[in-house]
């Protein structure tokens, strides 16, 4: 945006703190290469446009804002003469085109000294070569340091996830191994029992009926009805009495297995009726017991291996290693995979409630990076709950909020104190004990949500009810946008 040209007075701009140490020749050069412009109330420059000029306010009131989703959020308002904004980093000649990282408007007529970005860069390099080297070193060193610490933050999170995943995989793997060993023993006993029956003086029809009963019993085991503990106990007593009455030894040991397999007294009556030779009944019952045990063990193995498969799928979904970085994603799949990956860390004392609105659409996003956001917010929520005894509730909610998708993480922890609420997204700020956090989790989350997805990340908190809310746009953003940046306020003297 252009203002109306005004005369440039070297004496006037020398009163601004930024130029007060310059000599007369330098001030004259500023006036020759720059200009003074009067801006009416309205925009001066807009976030995302090429950063062509460096602005220093002479008089007036400026308002700095940052675009979050579809809204402009005010981040700074000042009437301090000499505050500067715009192409403030033009002196960094790294070859990358620079853009305004925020928007500037004035609320009343205001005058600015305006210096083209290239002239600003040339003058700074010519007049302050040592300062430029120092500033470049600080800027580039800060970026390198932040990247290194950010990588460490990610590695720490990966290590925590790996430990949790290993623990989660170990449980079903050990269960499958135990069940396989027991199954081998049951099958061996079954072969021995069948061999004893086949070599005995039993009629062929009875053997045929026994084989048929085994098949029907196996089918029945796969359709076991759910019983309450009291119902299961009563049925065990009934089955044990029936087995004792029919001369089956160790009925009290067999009865629990039959109840677990869904068998009842009516079924055993059918077994007795199908076998005409009553002297074969104890052996037939024992064979059926091995059949039920084998089916139950195979079900346990199936459940365990299915659990392992789900964990591996969750790990793939979480890491997004086999998928494009930018894609249309189902946020619920991302949340579920993250919750499953963190289930070991969450622990049994934290109740997880999923309040999903399944009608929300898929969104264009960087799924692997959103998973990192979920990880950071869930980890913080669990830590907060652990701070009040370790028992509480974590509620993960999704919903549509106007034209954006809301993902909310609510915990019943002690809350975020008001005096630090405005600092929790600052780099390196942490409330965790020394050695337990780098203070970059929420900063990284902010960058991913706000800078990369053009969304919003905010917190609402009272004791017992803290809510971190992620708002994501439903429409596509530019996946080739420039490097992420932290919103800058207008610069004032320190």
């Amino acid at each position: 945006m252009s203002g109306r040209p005004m005369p440039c007075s070297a004496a006037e701009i020398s009163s601004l703190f930024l130029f007060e140490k310059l000599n007369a020749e330098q001030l004259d050069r500023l006036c020759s290469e720059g200009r003074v412009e009067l801006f009416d109330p309205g925009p001066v420059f807009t976030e995302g446009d090429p950063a062509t000029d460096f602005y220093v306010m002479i008089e007036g009131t400026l308002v700095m804002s940052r675009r979050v989703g579809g809204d402009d959020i005010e981040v700074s308002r000042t009437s301090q003469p000499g505050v500067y904004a715009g192409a403030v980093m033009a002196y960094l000649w790294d070859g990358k085109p620079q853009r305004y990282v925020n928007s500037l408007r004035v609320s009343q007529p205001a005058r600015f000294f305006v210096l083209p970005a290239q002239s600003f860069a040339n003058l700074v390099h010519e007049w302050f070569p040592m300062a430029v080297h120092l500033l470049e070193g600080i800027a580039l060193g800060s970026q390198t340091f932040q990247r290194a610490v950010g990588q460490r933050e990610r590695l720490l999170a990966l290590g925590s996830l790996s430990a949790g995943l290993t623990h989660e995989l170990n449980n079903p793997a050990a269960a499958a191994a135990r069940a396989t060993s027991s199954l081998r023993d049951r099958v061996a006993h079954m072969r021995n029992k069948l061999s004893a029956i086949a070599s005995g003086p039993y009629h062929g029809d009875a053997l045929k009926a026994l084989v048929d009963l085994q098949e029907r019993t196996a089918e029945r085991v796969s359709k076991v009805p759910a019983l309450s503990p009291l119902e299961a106990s009563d049925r065990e007593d009934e089955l044990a009495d029936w087995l004792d009455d029919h001369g089956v030894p160790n009925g009290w040991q067999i009865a629990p297995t039959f109840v677990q397999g869904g068998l009842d007294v009516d079924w055993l009556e059918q077994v007795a009726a199908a076998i005409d030779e009553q002297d074969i009944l104890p052996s037939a019952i024992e064979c059926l017991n091995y059949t039920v045990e084998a089916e139950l063990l195979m079900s346990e193995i199936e459940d365990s291996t299915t659990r392992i498969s789900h964990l591996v799928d969750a790990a793939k979904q979480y890491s997004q290693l086999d998928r494009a970085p930018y894609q249309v994603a189902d946020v619920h799949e991302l949340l579920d995979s993250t919750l499953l990956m963190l289930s070991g860390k969450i622990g049994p004392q934290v109740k997880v409630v999923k309040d999903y609105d399944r009608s929300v659409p898929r969104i264009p996003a960087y799924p692997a990076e959103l998973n990192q956001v979920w990880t950071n917010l869930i980890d913080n929520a669990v830590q907060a709950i652990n701070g009040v005894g370790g028992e509480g509730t974590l509620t993960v909610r999704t919903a549509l909020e106007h034209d954006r998708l809301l993902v909310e993480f609510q915990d019943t922890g002690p809350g975020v104190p008001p005096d630090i609420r405005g600092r929790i997204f600052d780099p390196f700020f942490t409330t965790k004990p020394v050695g337990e956090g780098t203070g970059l989790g929420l900063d990284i989350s902010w960058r991913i949500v706000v800078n990369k997805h053009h969304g919003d990340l905010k917190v609402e908190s009272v004791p017992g009810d803290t809510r971190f809310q992620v708002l994501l746009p439903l429409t596509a953003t530019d996946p080739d946008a420039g490097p992420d940046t932290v919103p800058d306020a207008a610069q004032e003297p320190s």
Side-chain angles (χ1 to χ4, degrees):
M1 314 299 173
S2 297
R4 296 193 300 275
M6 303 286 290
C8 180
S9 167
E12 183 178 47
I13 64 173
S14 69
S15 66
L16 304 175
F17 66 84
L18 196 61
F19 306 134
E20 61 186 2
K21 299 298 183 181
L22 300 183
N23 58 38
E25 181 182 352
Q26 291 171 323
L27 292 170
D28 288 340
R29 186 171 174 184
L30 283 177
C31 276
S32 66
E33 295 196 22
R35 60 195 186 273
V36 173
E37 292 186 5
L38 175 64
F39 288 85
D40 292 325
V44 176
F45 60 76
T46 304
E47 177 183 348
D49 288 347
T52 57
D53 293 295
F54 175 69
Y55 294 83
V56 183
M57 190 175 71
I58 300 174
E59 62 178 352
T61 300
L62 64 77
V63 179
M64 193 75 70
S65 62
R66 174 78 176 178
R67 188 167 55 243
V68 178
D71 303 321
D72 277 337
I73 307 300
E74 181 178 323
V75 295
S76 178
R77 179 186 293 260
T78 181
S79 300
Q80 169 70 44
V83 295
Y84 55 92
V88 297
M89 304 293 284
Y91 59 84
L92 291 178
W93 287 348
D94 55 5
K96 296 180 181 178
Q98 297 190 9
R99 296 181 179 273
Y100 296 122
V101 297
N102 39 38
S103 298
L104 178 68
R105 62 183 174 87
V106 293
S107 58
Q108 62 187 51
R111 286 191 303 135
F112 285 86
F113 173 72
V114 184
L115 189 63
Q118 190 61 55
S119 294
F120 173 56
N122 292 337
L123 293 176
V124 171
H125 275 261
E126 180 181 338
W127 293 347
F128 313 108
M130 181 177 177
V132 168
H133 288 304
L134 292 172
L135 290 171
E136 285 181 333
I138 291 172
L140 298 177
S142 175
Q143 292 175 7
T144 302
F145 178 70
Q146 207 163 54
R147 279 197 298 267
V149 177
Q151 286 181 332
R152 177 168 176 76
E153 180 85 7
R154 293 181 177 91
L155 287 173
L156 288 173
L158 181 60
S160 177
L161 284 172
S162 298
L165 181 60
T166 302
H167 174 75
E168 291 297 312
L169 285 171
N170 181 66
N171 289 336
R178 289 193 302 268
T180 301
S181 176
S182 298
L183 179 61
R184 182 178 291 111
D185 180 67
R186 297 304 183 275
V187 171
H189 281 80
M190 188 185 300
R191 287 197 300 265
N192 293 334
K193 181 56 64 177
L194 287 174
S195 175
I197 292 176
S199 61
Y202 304 122
H203 195 274
D205 291 340
L207 294 178
K208 183 178 179 181
L210 178 58
V211 172
D212 179 64
L213 283 169
Q214 283 184 305
E215 293 293 333
R216 290 163 56 195
T217 299
E219 292 178 5
R220 192 178 180 92
V221 173
S222 65
K223 304 173 184 177
V224 179
L227 297 177
S228 68
L230 183 58
E231 290 174 328
S233 178
D234 291 342
R235 184 170 293 186
E236 286 179 17
D237 292 340
E238 292 174 2
L239 287 174
D241 291 341
W242 189 95
L243 293 170
D244 289 343
D245 293 342
H246 289 75
V248 178
N250 300 320
W252 60 274
Q253 290 181 319
I254 297 174
T257 303
F258 278 4
V259 171
Q260 194 176 357
L263 307 189
D264 53 21
V265 170
D266 291 340
W267 181 256
L268 294 185
E269 291 289 353
Q270 295 179 42
V271 171
I275 300 175
D276 295 333
E277 303 174 43
Q278 290 301 311
D279 55 346
I280 199 179
L281 182 61
S283 296
I285 292 294
E286 196 169 351
C287 274
L288 292 180
N289 182 48
Y290 290 140
T291 299
V292 172
E293 286 183 333
E295 289 296 322
L296 292 174
L297 289 169
M298 285 189 286
S299 294
E300 184 177 348
I301 293 171
E302 182 181 19
D303 290 342
S304 299
T305 53
T306 299
R307 170 72 174 167
I308 293 172
S309 178
H310 286 167
L311 286 167
V312 172
D313 287 344
K316 289 174 62 179
Q317 171 72 15
Y318 180 86
S319 64
Q320 296 284 313
L321 289 178
D322 58 346
R323 305 190 183 190
Y326 188 79
Q327 58 178 286
V328 177
D330 183 346
V331 72
H332 300 118
E333 292 180 358
L334 306 181
L335 291 168
D336 286 341
S337 66
T338 304
L339 286 168
L340 186 55
M341 290 288 289
L342 293 172
S343 58
K345 189 170 188 177
I346 293 173
Q349 290 184 302
V350 177
K351 180 183 179 182
V352 177
V353 177
K354 298 178 183 180
D355 183 12
Y356 292 168
D357 179 0
R358 295 286 183 177
S359 67
V360 300
R362 296 162 66 89
I363 61 170
Y366 294 86
E369 299 196 27
L370 285 183
N371 281 338
Q372 188 178 1
V373 174
W374 313 151
T375 300
N376 291 335
L377 297 182
I378 292 171
D379 181 66
N380 285 349
V382 171
Q383 188 200 33
I385 293 173
N386 288 337
V388 290
E391 293 188 359
T393 301
L394 167 63
T395 303
V396 183
R397 185 169 73 92
T398 62
L400 277 179
E401 186 167 294
H402 305 299
D403 60 344
R404 294 187 290 181
L405 170 63
L406 168 68
V407 182
E408 181 181 81
F409 298 85
Q410 177 187 10
D411 68 71
T412 55
V416 181
D419 58 325
I420 68 169
R421 204 169 296 164
R423 302 171 57 199
I424 59 174
F425 296 110
D426 292 348
F428 308 110
F429 178 80
T430 180
T431 59
K432 296 179 180 179
V434 176
E436 291 188 16
T438 62
L440 282 179
L442 289 178
D443 172 58
I444 290 171
S445 299
W446 171 274
R447 291 172 179 269
I448 291 172
V449 172
V450 176
N451 298 330
K452 200 151 191 176
H453 288 85
H454 302 283
D456 191 13
L457 175 58
K458 55 187 180 180
V459 61
E460 297 177 357
S461 182
V462 295
D465 184 4
T466 297
R467 304 179 184 216
F468 279 88
Q469 298 175 329
V470 178
L471 290 159
L472 299 169
L474 302 178
T475 54
T477 55
D478 181 10
D480 298 319
D484 59 348
T485 52
V486 177
D488 288 337
Q491 303 298 308
E492 302 189 32
S494 57

